Amino acid sequence: VAGMFLRLLSDIQWRAAHPKWRRMTGSQRSTSTTAEPHPLSLPAQAQVVICGGGIMGTSVAYHLSKMGFKDIVLLEQGRLAAGTTRFCAGIVSTARPVSIELKMAHYSNKLYQQLEQETGVQTGYMKTGSISLAQTQDRLISLKRIASSLNVRGIPCEIISPKKVSQLHPLINIHDLVGAMYVPEDALVSSANVSLALATAASRNGVQIHERTSVSHVTIQKGRVTGVETDRGRIQCEYFVNCAGQWAYELGHSGEEPVHIPVHACEHFYLLTHPLQEPLSSSLPTIVDPDGRIYIRNWQGGILSGGFEKNPKPLFTEGRNQLEIQNLQEDWDHFGPLLSALLRRMPGLEALQIMQLVNCPESFTPDMRCIMGESPTARGYFVLAGMNSAGISYGGGAGKYLAEWIVNGYPSENVWPLDLKRFGTLQSSRTFLRHRVMEVMPLIYDLKVPRWDFQTGRQLRTSPLYDRLDAQGARWMEKHGFERVKYFVPPGSDLLDLDHSKTFYKPDWFDIVGAEVKCCKEAVCVIDMSSFTKFEISSTGDQALEYLQYLFSNDLDVPVGHVVHTGMLNEKGGYENDCSIARLSKRSFFMISPTDQQVHCWAWLKNHLPDDSNLVLEDVTWKYTALNLIGPRAVDVLSELSYAPMTAEHFPSLFCKEMSVGYANGIRVMSITHTGEPGFVLYIPIEYALHVYNEVMNMGQKYGIRNAGYYALRSLRIEKFFAFWGQDLDAFTTPMECGREFQVKLDKGMEFLGQEVLLEQKQNGVYKRFTMFILEDHDTDMDLWPWWGEPIFRNGRYVGKTTSSAYSYTLERHVCLGFVHHFDEQTGEELVVTTDFINQGEYEIDIAGQRFQAKAKLYPFSSLFAQRRRKDDVELSGYQRE
């Protein structure tokens, strides 16, 4: 019986029902190891080759064929759905905290619901609903936040009492519960059969599927995919899609030009039981008990229960390969804590007969989010892998978005949180991956409060000032592998409490960050911002300027020494990057971008380089330490250190000049701070970093200087209404939608990417507007805090979500930033958002189900600015990123 489960009856049932499939593939076999006839030969060429016949590969093939692509080949080294897909627990859950993951899961659920009717293949789809249990108030808060997101997307969801849990699932022990979240439309499926149904539909649409065919490597010439080498010959192709699951890493590294795909496998255990004496109803809801670290679903009248233990077992670190995943060795000692949690939750199972403990590999990523998108180094090489044990939930939506990416050049939603280019080569160390996935797997069910940080793989990229700052009480977070300071703990504070402060309410660092913000406004602070991405672009002629003028919306033909804030836009006018560019000379430019733009921005710039160009593009991130001097006394500190006047008359806003600071020469000083406060950023060659930092701190003592961190920076930029790329800005947001028309020069004398869309928006209006909200009836000490992703309501109707928020120590109120949409009340159609529409509404922000009144603003409060400057300077001096 267990063996029947492990194959999920898929080969026998499906192939028996589809003789055409046998003729097409030549795979006339049952699940037994009978001899195969010779399969059909591979085609010499194809438009798309997909490697991997699991849920991801078949979903991509299905959606590509639906979108009109015909010349598609899917290769599977073993049998279809014989990898991780075969062992998947089959739970389709939409309760996801990340917006794009929620959308993928919701689409998957709708797709699977109609797949059986479309293909004739039984998928086992059963809408059972799911119940997520909360044993603590913090867990209940996290569920309420998810429930708010589900409800505004039209997905039925409710927070229920323990008593209601017992009514929905009578076998559940509710004595330790404080509440739960019920999602009635969640479902169960046979994962392998879903994959086979997708393959059936794809093959009917012309997709060629070849089993028992291994890909040895992908050939890449001049940075572009040209073909695939297999054990049965070569296929020339334009696009290659790596859906190889846990083997995606090895396949990516198999060619001469490696594609880094940071996934690593861990053992995943679940239990199968014989049917209960009174078999469980097939419609009973799936139970997710994250505090107990387990999930429970019905299976053939019995139980299927697994979980994510605190001490996972990584495997295949050395890259061992298997054509098909076999059931790994049972380990009852390891599964013991999960079994105990199961029996506590369902005490009636004590006498139940266990059928089998299944142990199968699952692949995980460094940040618990799946990986999709195009390789930054090889055009036409796409990846869809690393599902973190949620492959069946994401499979339909992920395949759809990747197919759109291949066909249209971009997906229909912002998938940056899942983009392969969010990682660099540094996350592909096998040691790093092994250690990180041991942390990631338990985190799937751990309570994740705002601003939590990974603990493994740390101190990988550090500023030269790391030890110096650490000794002064720095508390660290990590961004793109780079250590960055959150805040500095003053001497005498309770370090243990601060290090373990986890809450949805007012955090313990509140007063510490407040003191740093106060110093930024009244004296001078230093923030180490070395993690920012830094590129230099130069040419022998005017090519560098022409190239940048085409890629950026602002006019970069400015005098030498000037700094321009600008967007790097795509054809839709959306932000691929948000940056500052200094003109160092007539033919060279210095570009500052967000930390996590290092791979993405480099790839975008390289992909748009003209053929046979003499442009030189260099990543100089590691060459410079960046010190941000913020505050009214920054000018005094720098004047004394450089023996040069630094007042606005001699060093105007948005100016860049190479200077001496202390004994060090060649310091690039820019009159920007990324916060809207007065000050300067010093880009210091790394060998001078410690010297310049010491000089600045010593000279600044008489001006009240102190260190500060990124939490203070966040508070300052949000109260100034400055947007950050990757958080507020993305590839679907244009400058016209976020109040940055002044960064767009439509008349600069040459066309630039996205110009047509911006001209249209200028004429016809926009369908969303970036808006600032000040919470009015919110008690900072007692109420839940807004963090990001909270629904925004206008006159009682949902109009958007917050993208970031912070406490404003100046206003003594919480400030949220987010986008407001205008939906027609009858049809739901999106309408143009006007200034009057924003200003005439009554707004509320939903924080975990509780709504707070908010005042909407399209411009920052003028009272926030301590120093009055020209409007352009105020607007331009800070817009920047994390």
Side-chain angles (χ1 to χ4, degrees):
V1 179
M4 289 172 64
F5 167 75
L6 295 176
R7 279 304 301 164
L8 291 171
L9 303 177
S10 56
D11 273 351
I12 296 171
Q13 294 173 349
W14 188 68
R15 289 185 173 85
H18 294 83
K20 179 184 175 184
W21 170 264
R22 295 201 302 270
R23 292 196 299 272
M24 184 188 75
T25 64
S27 302
Q28 299 175 352
R29 62 179 184 277
S30 70
T31 53
S32 62
T33 56
T34 56
E36 295 181 41
H38 292 293
L40 295 178
S41 59
L42 295 181
Q45 62 183 39
Q47 190 175 13
V48 183
V49 174
I50 302 167
C51 177
I55 186 68
M56 294 302 149
T58 54
S59 179
V60 173
Y62 170 86
H63 287 94
L64 281 174
S65 67
K66 285 277 188 180
M67 297 177 72
F69 271 37
K70 298 297 182 186
D71 196 7
I72 304 166
V73 175
L74 187 150
L75 306 176
E76 164 56 45
Q77 65 177 349
R79 292 171 293 176
L80 284 180
T84 299
T85 299
R86 172 162 63 118
F87 289 93
C88 180
I91 300 169
V92 183
S93 168
T94 53
R96 307 288 168 178
V98 179
S99 176
I100 186 62
E101 293 178 343
L102 188 159
K103 291 176 182 177
M104 290 196 304
H106 185 46
Y107 173 84
S108 297
N109 196 335
K110 291 192 294 183
L111 173 67
Y112 303 158
Q113 191 170 358
Q114 55 85 37
L115 200 55
E116 188 170 321
Q117 182 178 356
E118 178 185 347
T119 64
V121 178
Q122 292 186 357
T123 59
Y125 183 90
M126 173 69 71
K127 190 177 289 185
T128 62
S130 71
I131 304 173
S132 298
L133 309 180
Q135 296 182 30
T136 66
Q137 287 297 332
D138 274 348
R139 176 70 69 181
L140 190 59
I141 290 167
S142 73
L143 294 179
K144 287 178 178 178
R145 289 178 61 88
I146 294 172
S148 293
S149 295
L150 291 172
N151 282 324
V152 296
R153 294 201 181 281
I155 302 171
C157 175
E158 60 177 313
I159 298 298
I160 60 176
S161 66
K163 184 178 179 181
K164 184 67 179 292
V165 172
S166 184
Q167 292 170 359
L168 291 168
H169 201 308
L171 295 180
I172 294 298
N173 177 9
I174 63 170
H175 79 280
D176 57 348
L177 301 182
V178 296
M181 178 177 69
Y182 178 46
V183 185
E185 293 190 356
D186 279 356
L188 296 177
V189 294
S190 163
S191 304
N193 282 13
V194 167
S195 184
L196 295 170
L198 292 168
T200 299
S203 66
R204 288 173 183 167
N205 288 330
V207 176
Q208 296 186 51
I209 300 178
H210 295 265
E211 298 178 297
R212 303 295 187 189
T213 306
S214 297
V215 175
S216 57
H217 66 275
V218 180
T219 55
I220 298 168
Q221 294 179 7
K222 296 182 179 179
R224 184 175 287 276
V225 167
T226 58
V228 177
E229 295 288 348
T230 79
D231 58 353
R232 294 173 51 203
R234 173 181 168 80
I235 307 175
Q236 289 184 320
C237 63
E238 295 178 54
Y239 302 101
F240 175 75
V241 187
N242 184 337
C243 296
Q246 63 183 312
W247 315 125
Y249 178 98
E250 280 75 18
L251 181 57
H253 280 254
S254 63
E256 293 181 5
E257 300 182 42
V259 173
H260 300 285
I261 305 166
V263 298
H264 195 293
C266 281
E267 297 181 30
H268 178 56
F269 297 87
Y270 59 79
L271 187 71
L272 297 171
T273 77
H274 288 286
L276 277 70
Q277 191 168 5
E278 183 179 334
L280 284 181
S281 166
S282 60
S283 61
L284 270 182
T286 296
I287 299 295
V288 179
D289 183 5
D291 296 312
R293 318 195 71 83
I294 57 170
Y295 58 83
I296 309 164
R297 57 155 288 191
N298 67 74
W299 179 70
Q300 297 185 3
I303 289 293
L304 184 158
S305 178
F308 300 98
E309 62 273 22
K310 290 185 177 180
N311 56 332
K313 299 168 68 175
L315 75 165
F316 303 150
T317 303
E318 69 283 1
R320 183 198 311 166
N321 207 331
Q322 290 176 262
L323 288 184
E324 293 175 11
I325 300 170
Q326 306 302 321
N327 190 18
L328 302 171
Q329 187 173 355
E330 291 185 348
D331 189 338
W332 284 103
D333 288 340
H334 190 79
F335 189 72
L338 299 182
L339 179 59
S340 297
L342 170 63
L343 295 176
R344 281 195 301 273
R345 189 56 58 210
M346 296 181 71
L349 299 184
E350 287 279 4
L352 193 63
Q353 187 178 357
I354 292 171
M355 179 185 295
Q356 185 179 4
L357 179 63
V358 177
N359 177 6
C360 59
E362 289 269 11
S363 57
F364 297 85
T365 64
D367 61 0
M368 286 189 297
R369 300 197 299 267
C370 72
I371 295 173
M372 69 163 61
E374 190 174 19
S375 160
T377 56
R379 300 297 301 275
Y381 191 121
F382 285 82
V383 178
L384 185 56
M387 293 298 128
N388 301 284
S389 202
I392 195 63
S393 291
Y394 298 153
K400 172 179 179 282
Y401 291 141
L402 196 78
E404 292 172 343
W405 209 327
I406 293 170
V407 174
N408 302 324
Y410 47 85
S412 58
E413 296 281 353
N414 172 37
V415 297
W416 169 248
L418 314 178
D419 195 324
L420 172 64
K421 292 183 284 293
R422 73 188 187 270
F423 297 120
T425 56
L426 58 94
Q427 284 96 354
S428 286
S429 153
R430 292 305 274 178
T431 304
F432 169 87
L433 285 172
R434 182 179 176 89
H435 291 175
R436 175 56 66 85
V437 298
M438 291 175 71
E439 179 182 11
V440 161
M441 190 171 166
L443 273 171
I444 289 174
Y445 276 174
D446 277 355
L447 179 67
K448 291 173 284 294
V449 298
R451 311 269 178 97
W452 61 273
D453 300 295
F454 288 107
Q455 301 303 309
T456 54
R458 297 295 297 270
Q459 299 182 29
L460 188 57
R461 302 174 72 197
T462 60
S463 158
L465 305 176
Y466 179 86
D467 289 338
R468 184 90 164 80
L469 301 177
D470 195 57
Q472 296 179 76
R475 287 296 171 267
W476 302 92
M477 60 182 178
E478 171 256 333
K479 183 94 165 182
H480 200 61
F482 216 114
E483 295 293 328
R484 312 200 307 180
V485 180
K486 296 188 282 191
Y487 49 80
F488 286 82
V489 178
S493 296
D494 190 332
L495 306 186
L496 189 64
D497 279 356
L498 280 167
D499 284 345
H500 294 88
S501 171
K502 292 184 177 182
T503 180
F504 289 98
Y505 291 89
K506 179 180 176 181
D508 290 344
W509 43 257
F510 179 83
D511 291 331
I512 293 174
V513 173
E516 292 178 2
V517 167
K518 187 172 189 289
C519 187
C520 287
K521 289 180 172 293
E522 298 178 358
V524 56
C525 275
V526 178
I527 301 180
D528 183 348
M529 300 179 68
S530 303
S531 68
F532 272 27
T533 298
K534 299 173 275 289
F535 295 153
E536 288 182 1
I537 304 106
S538 60
S539 62
T540 53
D542 294 332
Q543 295 92 339
L545 177 62
E546 293 169 1
Y547 169 66
L548 295 176
Q549 287 282 65
Y550 172 68
L551 288 182
F552 292 89
S553 61
N554 212 337
D555 189 359
L556 295 171
D557 192 5
V558 294
V560 172
H562 283 242
V563 181
V564 176
H565 286 302
T566 182
M568 184 173 79
L569 309 182
N570 53 39
E571 292 176 354
K572 306 183 299 298
Y575 279 95
E576 293 294 334
N577 186 12
D578 173 44
C579 57
S580 310
I581 299 179
R583 192 169 193 177
L584 302 179
S585 70
K586 289 196 71 173
R587 295 168 179 169
S588 66
F589 297 82
F590 185 51
M591 177 176 168
I592 313 299
S593 301
T595 301
D596 51 6
Q597 271 278 4
Q598 190 165 14
V599 177
H600 173 72
C601 182
W602 178 265
W604 186 269
L605 293 173
K606 293 286 281 187
N607 290 340
H608 287 85
L609 274 176
D611 294 332
D612 303 320
S613 168
N614 63 358
L615 281 165
V616 177
L617 176 62
E618 184 182 4
D619 186 344
V620 295
T621 301
W622 64 274
K623 287 187 176 182
Y624 294 95
T625 295
L627 289 183
N628 195 352
L629 272 64
I630 303 175
R633 307 313 298 265
V635 62
D636 302 307
V637 174
L638 210 50
S639 293
E640 292 199 42
L641 280 175
S642 60
Y643 290 96
M646 300 298 294
T647 57
E649 295 75 29
H650 299 91
F651 208 110
S653 180
L654 296 173
F655 194 68
C656 174
K657 185 177 180 181
E658 207 163 271
M659 300 175 60
S660 299
V661 178
Y663 296 152
N665 284 318
I667 312 299
R668 289 178 184 168
V669 179
M670 295 188 193
S671 49
I672 56 176
T673 65
H674 313 303
T675 63
E677 300 297 329
F680 306 88
V681 178
L682 281 57
Y683 290 96
I684 309 160
I686 56 171
E687 62 267 32
Y688 300 145
L690 194 57
H691 166 76
V692 172
Y693 173 78
N694 288 336
E695 290 289 299
V696 166
M697 295 302 288
N698 289 335
M699 183 62 71
Q701 291 301 317
K702 59 184 176 184
Y703 299 110
I705 198 167
R706 68 180 290 167
N707 293 298
Y710 274 82
Y711 284 10
L713 184 82
R714 176 189 292 261
S715 175
L716 290 168
R717 73 95 179 170
I718 287 177
E719 73 177 18
K720 295 289 172 50
F721 202 10
F722 293 166
F724 277 21
W725 187 89
Q727 196 165 339
D728 308 301
L729 307 179
D730 57 41
F732 290 81
T733 303
T734 74
M736 303 301 186
E737 294 165 343
C738 59
R740 293 189 174 194
E741 297 90 340
F742 62 89
Q743 290 189 4
V744 176
K745 297 296 184 286
L746 294 169
D747 56 353
K748 65 180 180 178
M750 68 173 293
E751 291 185 8
F752 59 87
L753 266 178
Q755 185 174 19
E756 281 187 31
V757 174
L758 301 189
L759 281 166
E760 184 182 334
Q761 287 188 334
K762 184 177 181 182
Q763 183 175 346
N764 300 328
V766 296
Y767 291 90
K768 63 180 181 181
R769 286 288 294 272
F770 194 50
T771 309
M772 170 191 260
F773 298 94
I774 315 298
L775 295 191
E776 295 194 310
D777 59 344
H778 183 269
D779 188 323
T780 302
D781 294 319
M782 302 301 295
D783 289 327
L784 288 168
W785 275 30
W787 296 97
W788 59 272
E790 290 84 13
I792 303 166
F793 290 87
R794 178 188 181 274
N795 297 345
R797 293 178 61 85
Y798 172 70
V799 292
K801 278 194 167 189
T802 64
T803 51
S804 57
S805 66
Y807 182 81
S808 166
Y809 293 89
T810 307
L811 290 173
E812 298 183 346
R813 290 284 186 276
H814 258 96
V815 177
C816 300
L817 308 182
F819 286 92
V820 171
H821 301 252
H822 184 184
F823 301 108
D824 184 275
E825 293 192 16
Q826 273 73 44
T827 66
E829 178 189 359
E830 280 202 271
L831 305 175
V832 169
V833 179
T834 63
T835 300
D836 285 345
F837 179 80
I838 298 291
N839 291 336
Q840 293 172 8
E842 297 289 331
Y843 291 90
E844 294 172 303
I845 306 295
D846 180 318
I847 306 176
Q850 184 178 357
R851 296 188 188 182
F852 296 90
Q853 293 179 4
K855 185 175 181 63
K857 299 278 288 184
L858 284 170
Y859 304 98
F861 286 86
S862 58
S863 61
L864 291 178
F865 298 98
Q867 296 186 355
R868 300 298 296 172
R869 290 178 286 174
R870 295 194 325 274
K871 181 177 182 295
D872 282 355
D873 283 354
V874 170
E875 296 281 5
L876 288 166
S877 64
Y879 276 120
Q880 205 57 322
R881 311 72 36 187
E882 282 186 324

